[in-house]
Amino acid sequence: MSMTTENFGLLAEFVEPDELVEATARIYDTGYRDFEAYAPMPVEGLPEAVGFPRSRMPLVVLIGGVVGCLTGFGMQYYLTVIDYPLNIGGRPLNSWPSFVPVVFELTVLFAALSAVLGMLAMNGLPRPHHPLFGVPQFDRVTQDRFFVCIRRTDPLFHEQTTREFLQRLGAKEVIDVPL
Amino acid sequence: MTTGTKDDTNSDSLLSREHSFASVTDKIASIVLARRLKRGWIVGLLISFALTMLLFLSVAWLFAKGVGIWGIAIPVAWGFAIVNFVWWVGIGHAGTLISAILLLLKQEWRTSINRFAEAMTLFAVACAALFPLLHLGRPQFFYWMAPYPSTMGVWPQFRSPLIWDFFAVGTYATASLLFWYVGLIPDLATLRDRSKRRFPQVAYGILAMGWRGSARHWRRYQDAYLLLAALATPLVVSVHSVVSFDFATGIVPGWHSTVFPPYFVAGAIYSGFAMVLTIAIPLRAAYGLRDFITDRHLDNMAKVMLASGLIVAYGYLTETFTAWYSGHESEWFSVVNRATGPYAFLFWLLIACNIVIPQLLWFANVRRNVYALFALSLVINLGMWLERFIIVVVSLHKDFLPSSWDIYVPTFWDWSTFIGTIGLFTALMFLFIRLLPVISIFEMREMVEESHGESS
């Protein structure tokens, strides 16, 4: 363990999702903050356990939708009323009922794009490499295993006590994550 | 009546208790990661590929000669291109319906069918989008539909349903692609981590974008997915409504009807579910997926088909009643002409395919018989295609002026283009089955967790 100052953190492996949620809650209660749980599927109670009960996705999508709506109407209004007015049988230039379909479609389009791009951006993806990918056991995080990683940068982190703490939480294995 | 397999004791649960996280992951991922190709897959792809070549040939000939190679002329200027467009777009509705609406309604049985239904949607919309482009006459100018500052100084006509169509289909294709891709990200990461060879690791690794299942990521992911579903739900309804405006805002007898939007949407769901069954039944047999796509799934889909079929029948009835009640001579003539005119045979075939025969779905042992269900799904696919043919061609061929009446006969190139798109669609489906997981693996793991939670 002479290289320990070089590592990214300590990774604990669990077999059952319930064990992970319980361990994560204990880690949070102990006072650790710079840690993250990993699971092969959404696990009920896990975001709450890591202290991230809700995301700001709804706000992002709302903004996207409003921008799309205004873009849709603004574009049609500008093009048919200001830039290229066509008198068709004396009908009003701002014939807003016939603008509704395009406004609706652009609202949905912008909202959907902001949901996907917002989710990826806030998650910091795409991210081609991450120190955890260096751990062979971590391959199973996308299959059937559950992990929690406490980072070295956490103020409470201590090589020996954190390791023992994770072992006491019932981890199947505690693994050094190389940087 | 045989119901697929006799030893299938779990036919009424959605997922057997014996499955674990590892077993569902292994079962679905191994379809993609197995090195050997199945012979049936090779033969199927070859036939589809040959038909795709027929499509390319037809398109090349069309570009060389113009739309005169088709059977269209005045008064029937829309012909096969629009019939096929509406048919394909309609098929493309089931995917998003299953993914989005059934997700919001918490219908768990959607989990094992949503992935390939979404893929089906994308490929069907791709086939659909080809037709208006080919029908333009000068397809090289398709981009004139988009509002961009051109040197001609003119803009699209935003009061026209054809431009609404452009936005509706464009948005639908984009949103369906996003929905599908977002759903795939965790499964692409699974394939990345399971594959043993370098090339798939890199390829799936790039597509998975570094997904590592972090709890915070999952939170945002689930929120984004649910919001996408909420956005896609009104979008599905809007797309076929807008397609129906292409007809309903025209004054042609047989088109000018306010019942068109809801009845088009019901018809889209009807044909979409029929196509999902057409694909699901052979798929689950070929890849041994009966554990995931159970008889209960097929039964549920059959019920949705029955319900949407009845709405379609109601649409026909309303249309006929309104034509009679309006007292409008041309409207009533178009109804009589449908039932007794030169295309009467197709009309009665349509009634048989869409209304009469599907009533068999009331019987549980028909819904549980895979052969009967597969045959019915083909019958409904045919019926829905005939419906669009009747709406487009039969309404147009005898409109207000008897002097301009004419009979529309599709040419070889009409048929070759249509059959070619079926080839393109199936070729894309075959490639999809081979390259991406056909069932959402992470959602199946969630189902495993839930079924274990119930038992303990």
Side-chain angles (χ1 to χ4, degrees):
Chain A
M1 295 286 153
S2 57
M3 298 288 282
T4 44
T5 47
E6 297 294 316
N7 74 3
F8 175 80
L10 286 172
L11 183 70
E13 180 179 345
F14 296 89
V15 179
E16 292 295 330
D18 306 346
E19 296 172 359
L20 176 72
V21 176
E22 209 171 297
T24 309
R26 289 276 301 282
I27 293 168
Y28 190 87
D29 291 342
T30 311
Y32 288 99
R33 287 299 175 266
D34 201 357
F35 71 99
E36 181 60 300
Y38 300 89
M41 76 260 190
V43 176
E44 219 175 313
L46 192 60
E48 289 79 5
V50 297
F52 189 70
R54 51 174 57 83
S55 74
R56 280 185 300 185
M57 287 313 303
L59 180 68
V60 172
V61 175
L62 177 71
I63 293 172
V66 170
V67 170
C69 179
L70 295 176
T71 308
F73 191 80
M75 172 185 75
Q76 294 182 86
Y77 185 87
Y78 172 75
L79 296 183
T80 48
V81 177
I82 298 165
D83 193 58
Y84 199 72
L86 266 179
N87 186 342
I88 300 166
R91 288 176 182 81
L93 289 175
N94 180 24
S95 49
W96 67 266
S98 54
F99 297 164
V100 169
V102 172
V103 171
F104 172 78
E105 300 300 339
L106 287 185
T107 306
V108 171
L109 181 66
F110 277 51
L113 282 171
S114 52
V116 176
L117 299 179
M119 185 269 287
L120 292 176
M122 289 198 287
N123 280 348
L125 302 175
R127 176 163 180 176
H129 193 67
H130 189 276
L132 283 169
F133 292 150
V135 179
Q137 291 94 322
F138 195 68
D139 272 2
R140 291 180 74 172
V141 76
T142 55
Q143 300 175 50
D144 58 349
R145 285 297 153 86
F146 302 81
F147 295 86
V148 61
C149 178
I150 302 182
R151 289 186 62 173
R152 162 166 296 281
T153 41
D154 192 291
L156 289 186
F157 187 91
H158 180 273
E159 188 64 43
Q160 207 51 41
T161 47
T162 303
R163 180 184 298 275
E164 283 163 8
F165 171 62
L166 286 172
Q167 271 155 355
R168 261 184 285 119
L169 289 176
K172 186 173 171 287
E173 196 181 348
V174 179
I175 308 150
D176 264 307
V177 182
L179 203 57
Chain B
M1 294 260 173
T2 53
T3 54
T5 49
K6 272 183 184 166
D7 55 342
D8 188 1
T9 47
N10 288 302
S11 65
D12 266 84
S13 68
L14 294 172
L15 185 66
S16 151
R17 291 260 164 87
E18 284 139 36
H19 273 296
S20 65
F21 301 134
S23 75
V24 291
T25 307
D26 185 60
K27 183 100 186 173
I28 304 168
S30 62
I31 297 175
V32 176
L33 295 172
R35 295 188 80 158
R36 271 178 59 90
L37 298 172
K38 279 179 174 267
R39 181 172 301 166
W41 184 88
I42 297 174
V43 172
L45 183 68
L46 277 178
I47 295 171
S48 315
F49 189 71
L51 291 176
T52 310
M53 290 297 111
L54 178 66
L55 173 69
F56 289 163
L57 176 73
S58 313
V59 171
W61 189 239
L62 175 80
F63 285 177
K65 287 290 188 179
V67 287
I69 63 167
W70 292 342
I72 52 174
I74 300 300
V76 185
W78 274 13
F80 260 36
I82 307 303
V83 173
N84 298 336
F85 164 69
V86 180
W87 188 68
W88 277 122
V89 173
I91 287 169
H93 274 58
T96 313
L97 182 95
I98 290 169
S99 310
I101 300 183
L102 298 185
L103 177 73
L104 296 182
L105 296 176
K106 297 196 189 298
Q107 296 291 307
E108 280 179 352
W109 57 277
R110 79 178 259 290
T111 302
S112 41
I113 52 173
N114 69 333
R115 170 69 48 72
F116 75 84
E118 285 166 35
M120 183 201 80
T121 287
L122 280 177
F123 305 150
V125 171
C127 290
L130 271 179
F131 282 103
L133 292 184
L134 300 179
H135 190 251
L136 281 176
R138 287 185 290 171
Q140 68 273 31
F141 297 130
F142 74 93
Y143 60 89
W144 286 4
M145 299 282 278
Y148 73 102
S150 72
T151 51
M152 297 173 285
V154 293
W155 296 101
Q157 171 55 282
F158 288 107
R159 301 179 187 99
S160 158
L162 298 180
I163 205 80
W164 304 343
D165 233 11
F166 174 76
F167 278 89
V169 176
T171 300
Y172 189 56
T174 313
S176 305
L177 182 67
L178 290 174
F179 202 56
W180 186 62
Y181 181 63
V182 168
L184 269 170
I185 290 174
D187 287 357
L188 290 166
T190 301
L191 295 178
R192 170 197 69 200
D193 292 342
R194 279 183 69 94
S195 50
K196 302 273 185 287
R197 284 173 300 142
R198 188 72 188 147
F199 176 72
Q201 281 174 348
V202 173
Y204 290 124
I206 290 169
L207 290 171
M209 295 201 284
W211 181 263
R212 51 191 179 276
S214 131
R216 287 175 175 81
H217 288 189
W218 274 123
R219 169 90 278 167
R220 293 195 190 97
Y221 178 89
Q222 276 197 300
D223 287 352
Y225 198 67
L226 212 56
L227 286 163
L228 274 179
L231 289 166
T233 301
L235 182 64
V236 182
V237 176
S238 84
V239 176
H240 230 52
S241 298
V242 168
V243 170
S244 81
F245 292 160
D246 291 343
F247 301 96
T249 55
I251 55 162
V252 175
W255 287 6
H256 195 60
S257 165
T258 48
V259 81
F260 262 40
Y263 131 66
F264 263 55
V265 172
I269 294 166
Y270 195 33
S271 63
F273 269 83
M275 192 56 102
V276 171
L277 280 176
T278 310
I279 296 167
I281 291 170
L283 180 72
R284 73 171 202 157
Y287 289 96
L289 295 174
R290 282 200 183 83
D291 279 5
F292 303 139
I293 306 172
T294 64
D295 288 347
R296 200 177 135 202
H297 287 97
L298 303 184
D299 187 49
N300 282 352
M301 286 191 271
K303 284 176 185 164
V304 174
M305 242 166 34
L306 179 61
S308 50
L310 290 174
I311 303 176
V312 171
Y314 173 76
Y316 297 160
L317 209 65
T318 314
E319 227 188 344
T320 311
F321 172 77
T322 319
W324 168 75
Y325 191 69
S326 70
H328 193 295
E329 198 188 345
S330 306
E331 285 286 344
W332 183 242
F333 173 76
S334 82
V335 169
V336 173
N337 182 47
R338 272 180 195 187
T340 61
Y343 295 102
F345 171 71
L346 295 178
F347 175 76
W348 293 110
L349 189 59
L350 152 74
I351 298 293
C353 287
N354 269 2
I355 300 179
V356 181
I357 301 172
Q359 299 312 315
L360 287 171
L361 292 170
W362 286 101
F363 301 102
N365 46 9
V366 173
R367 293 198 304 268
R368 299 248 161 179
N369 181 326
V370 282
Y371 302 103
L373 212 50
F374 185 69
L376 271 172
S377 75
L378 293 178
V379 165
I380 294 169
N381 277 324
L382 171 67
M384 286 309 294
W385 186 85
L386 286 170
E387 181 200 297
R388 278 65 186 252
F389 184 87
I390 302 281
I391 291 174
V392 172
V393 174
V394 180
S395 303
L396 281 173
H397 90 116
K398 285 187 181 175
D399 59 359
F400 300 102
L401 271 182
S403 62
S404 59
W405 291 357
D406 201 0
I407 292 291
Y408 166 83
V409 184
T411 63
F412 169 81
W413 298 107
D414 277 311
W415 286 110
S416 67
T417 314
F418 175 46
I419 293 166
T421 53
I422 294 176
L424 176 64
F425 175 79
T426 46
L428 290 169
M429 277 313 289
F430 276 114
L431 290 175
F432 159 71
I433 289 167
R434 181 61 201 167
L435 296 175
L436 294 168
V438 283
I439 293 175
S440 173
I441 310 176
F442 84 88
E443 285 179 315
M444 289 312 278
R445 284 192 290 254
E446 277 187 288
M447 299 242 330
V448 168
E449 169 66 3
E450 277 160 28
S451 70
H452 286 191
E454 280 162 21
S455 56
S456 62

